């Protein structure tokens, strides 16, 4: 080197990664330190980024994924090589499945040794393993390409159908140096990362013509509609057409669940009876019985019910994946719904009164039945009496974020607890995955600053329970309610052999999950009645202190797999 070159300012891989993220407004990293990224976590914090350290990478990954859903910016998860990477990969795959934008950044071991399989520390060909499980995967070998790598990762995560992206950063990259000025020039501030996608005029006309012909129309709102942040347009579509709507789980609150056009309480009536269904950011996957079968009025489980579908989706290949889509509308939800609204005009005829009256009748009957169930106060407490409390707390605190997982703890919460605002309900999503709980809760608190209420099955909680330490460490306003029914689905199974092992679905009876929170300085409460539960939740919300309430639920109260019992294969042999 000449003396001139020595005097120029240098930068390195560590700083370029941090600068590239910050330049693009990615200011929070969810991760877990270790070789080769420990210094990256330190330097990120020193550079003013929020570095949230977890106890297991899967929870950091889930946090990043849901941060992406809430903010429309890719959530960033940072892990070490091989095992740390694999721990994060479940979250990356889940994010991709759910169309949440996230970037998993993992350090990796020395390429020359990994590729010859010579046995490096934490050796693994991570790029190859990540590829089939995410939307895109990139590796950066040279410091001057870090800007490009980060830009490509951001675009891939948020454009079109959002999803997970893997970014492989080998250990050697971090220490590579280059001229600081050249380094700055190599970074890219991504312009228009998620471009609007305007639907074609004839596709809009086709959709409106079909909708006009409907006698029993229905709108189905999915989590794509929640993600799109086109809340006003979606609400206008529902209200100006007067069409009844059903929210999918994470679309609850897009319009308040108490909205008079909500048909959620008459779901089993409207799905088979509807003649034209508008899907807004919802796939016809298993959660909608693939658009056919008895749920939709088909003769048997495979038969089409005869509905016609309008499907609004950003993915051009989603239509026809299960049943015929007569009017696909490809574009972003904001643009598509606005285009429909423009075509609807002032002379739109509301749906026939007999359709609306038939729905209202069923809905009112079911709501009355539910109100009666909720007013009971059985001993021991059951899901209904406990969730009646949660329902009131959420009603009084509509800005609170609600995280929810479990089987019965999930299904009952979804149907009992009304949501009032968009993107407040965060749950197990498309896979029905357990383990999202504490990761989602941490990110929900960090990203929104709001109180978080996490309603957790006792089994579900166990997958990420150690993160209560993380919640305490960052002093997050998270109130975890463990619906403790002593096991998976319920606590009453017995070992048919009479042997000493308990049944596979049963846990330690009378476990005190509240003590876990106390171990780290948070508030633990054991609640055996709705009165105790209400008091503890109210205190948690007003104090904003980390709280875990062990809600003791009747161990006989649950059913196998909650609402999806029928998905369990049945053995021909009854033994
Ligand atoms: P749900 O589980 O709530 O039914 P899904 O995850 O099945 O929802 O469907 C979400 C759909 O929304 C996906 O098909 C995805 O392509 C689509 N989507 C996501 N973001 C947008 C957007 N901004 N505009 C249009 N469609 C979107
Ligand atoms: N593992 C993973 C990662 N995801 C899963 N969905 C399951 C296992 C299977 N599973 C469910 O689908 S729900 C559930 C498991 C283990 C737990 C149900 O028990 P719970 O809820 O205590 O959380 P309830 O209230 O007792 O039903
Ligand atoms: Mg349970």
């Amino acid at each position: 080197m000449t003396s001139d070159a020595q005097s120029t300012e240098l930068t390195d891989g560590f700083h370029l990664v941090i600068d590239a993220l910050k330049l693009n407004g990615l200011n929070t990293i969810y991760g877990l330190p270790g070789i080769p990224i420990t210094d990256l976590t330190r330097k990120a914090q020193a550079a003013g980024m929020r570095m949230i350290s977890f106890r297991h990478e899967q929870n950091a990954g889930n946090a990043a994924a849901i941060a992406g859903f809430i903010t429309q910016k890719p959530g960033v998860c940072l892990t070490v090589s091989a095992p740390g990477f694999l721990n994060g990969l479940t979250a990356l795959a889940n994010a991709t499945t759910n169309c949440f934008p996230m970037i998993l950044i993992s350090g990796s071991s020395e390429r020359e040794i990994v590729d010859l399989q010579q046995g490096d520390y934490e050796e693994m060909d991570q790029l190859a393993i990540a590829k089939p499980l995410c939307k895109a995967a990139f590796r950066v070998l040279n410091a001057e390409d870090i800007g490009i790598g980060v830009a490509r990762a951001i675009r891939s995560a948020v454009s079109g159908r959002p999803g997970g992206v893997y970014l492989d950063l080998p250990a050697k990259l971090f220490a590579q140096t280059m001229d600081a000025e050249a380094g700055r020039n190599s970074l890219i501030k991504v312009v228009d990362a998620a471009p609007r996608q305007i639907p074609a005029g004839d596709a809009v006309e086709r959709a409106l013509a079909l909708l006009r012909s409907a006698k029993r129309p229905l709108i189905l709102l999915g989590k794509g509609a929640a993600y799109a942040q086109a809340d006003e347009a979606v609400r206008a579509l529902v209200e100006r057409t007067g069409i009844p709507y059903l929210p999918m789980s994470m679309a609850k609150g897009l319009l308040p669940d108490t909205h008079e056009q909500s048909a959620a309480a008459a779901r089993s009536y409207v799905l088979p009876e509807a003649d034209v269904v508008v899907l807004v950011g919802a796939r016809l996957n298993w959660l909608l019985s693939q658009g056919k079968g008895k749920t939709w009025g088909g003769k048997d489980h495979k038969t089409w019910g005869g509905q016609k579908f309008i499907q609004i989706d950003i993915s051009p290949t989603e239509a026809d994946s299960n049943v015929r889509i007569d009017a696909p509308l490809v574009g972003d939800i904001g643009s598509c719904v606005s285009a429909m609204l423009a075509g609807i005009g002032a002379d739109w005829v509301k749906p026939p009164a007999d359709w609306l009256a038939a729905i209202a009748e069923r809905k009112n009957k079911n709501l009355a039945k539910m109100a009666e169930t909720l007013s009971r106060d059985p001993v021991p407490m059951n899901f209904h009496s406990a969730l009646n409390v949660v329902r009131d707390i959420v009603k009084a605190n509509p800005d609170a974020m609600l995280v929810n997982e479990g089987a019965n703890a999930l299904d009952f919460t979804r149907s009992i607890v009304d949501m009032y605002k968009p993107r407040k309900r965060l749950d197990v999503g498309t896979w029905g995955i357990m383990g999202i709980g504490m990761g989602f809760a941490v990110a929900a608190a960090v990203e929104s600053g709001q109180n978080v209420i996490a309603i957790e099955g006792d089994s579900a909680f166990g997958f990420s329970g150690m993160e209560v330490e993380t919640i305490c460490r960052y002093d997050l306003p998270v109130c975890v309610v463990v619906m403790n029914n002593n096991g998976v689905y319920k606590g009453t199974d017995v070992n048919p052999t009479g042997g000493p092992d308990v049944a596979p679905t049963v846990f330690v009876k009378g476990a005190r999950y509240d003590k876990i929170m106390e171990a780290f300085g948070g508030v633990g409460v054991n609640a055996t009645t709705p009165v105790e539960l209400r008091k503890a939740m109210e205190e948690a919300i007003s104090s904003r202190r980390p709280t875990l309430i062990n809600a003791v639920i009747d161990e006989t109260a649950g059913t196998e797999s909650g609402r999806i019992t029928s998905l369990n294969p049945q053995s021909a042999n009854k033994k």
Side-chain angles (χ1 to χ4, degrees), residues 137-148:
F138 306 101
R139 174 184 292 135
V140 182
L141 292 176
N142 297 310
E144 63 259 35
D145 293 331
I146 287 172
I148 302 271

Side-chain angles (χ1 to χ4, degrees), residues 349-540:
V349 182
K350 300 250 156 139
D354 58 343
W355 172 233
L356 301 181
I359 295 171
E361 189 195 322
R362 265 107 187 150
K363 178 176 157 176
N364 293 337
K365 212 166 79 192
N366 289 338
L367 288 177
K369 224 189 317 179
M370 175 65 90
E372 200 206 309
T373 311
L374 291 178
S375 69
R376 291 193 201 121
D377 189 8
V379 180
M381 183 159 70
N382 65 8
F383 286 102
H384 289 91
S385 59
L387 287 167
N388 187 41
V389 172
V390 178
R391 174 186 164 96
D392 290 347
I393 300 281
V394 171
K395 185 176 183 183
N397 300 278
D399 287 314
M401 311 289 287
L402 184 80
V403 172
N404 189 200
E405 61 177 336
N408 295 279
L410 175 89
D411 292 333
F412 284 124
T413 304
R414 187 177 52 238
S415 59
I416 293 170
V417 178
D418 289 332
M419 305 305 297
Y420 300 87
K421 296 194 174 183
R423 293 171 296 284
K424 295 293 183 188
R425 190 186 150 82
L426 312 172
D427 68 25
V428 300
T430 303
W431 267 349
I433 192 173
M434 297 300 112
I436 49 87
M438 297 304 101
F440 278 18
V442 168
V446 166
E447 300 292 337
S448 74
Q450 302 288 343
N451 271 297
V452 177
I453 298 167
I455 306 298
E456 300 275 311
D458 52 334
S459 166
F461 173 71
F463 288 74
S464 66
M466 195 64 210
E467 303 297 346
V468 296
E469 189 277 330
T470 309
I471 291 168
C472 289
R473 185 164 17 106
Y474 293 100
D475 194 22
L476 299 172
V478 175
C479 173
V480 182
V481 181
V482 175
M483 305 293 249
N484 189 354
N485 63 351
N486 293 342
V488 177
Y489 313 138
K490 53 188 187 304
T492 50
D493 274 12
V494 288
N495 178 345
T497 70
D501 291 351
V502 296
T505 55
V506 169
F507 295 152
V508 167
K509 304 263 181 196
R512 291 287 301 273
Y513 292 94
D514 48 312
K515 302 276 183 195
I516 302 179
M517 186 58 100
E518 287 178 352
F520 303 106
V523 178
V525 180
N526 190 49
T528 58
T529 65
V531 172
E532 288 168 1
L533 177 60
R534 190 179 301 270
K535 179 165 174 283
M537 288 191 79
E538 281 171 351
E539 277 175 21

Side-chain angles (χ1 to χ4, degrees), residues 79-96:
T79 80
V80 302
S81 331
F85 156 78
L86 287 174
N87 285 346
L89 197 55
T90 304
L92 187 71
N94 187 56
T96 308

Side-chain angles (χ1 to χ4, degrees), residues 4 37 39 44 54 95 107 137 182 194 222 232 235 298 307 366 393 486 509 553:
D4 259 9
I37 51 100
D39 253 358
F54 281 76
E232 288 311 311
R235 187 176 184 130
Q307 287 82 2
N366 289 338
I393 300 281
N486 293 342
K509 304 263 181 196
I553 302 291

Side-chain angles (χ1 to χ4, degrees), residues 161 222-224 227-228 248 281-283 285 313-314 331-333 430:
R161 171 182 281 176
K223 62 168 127 45
Y227 173 79
M248 299 299 287
R283 289 170 286 190
N285 56 17
D313 205 289
I314 201 151
D332 68 277
I333 281 160
T430 303

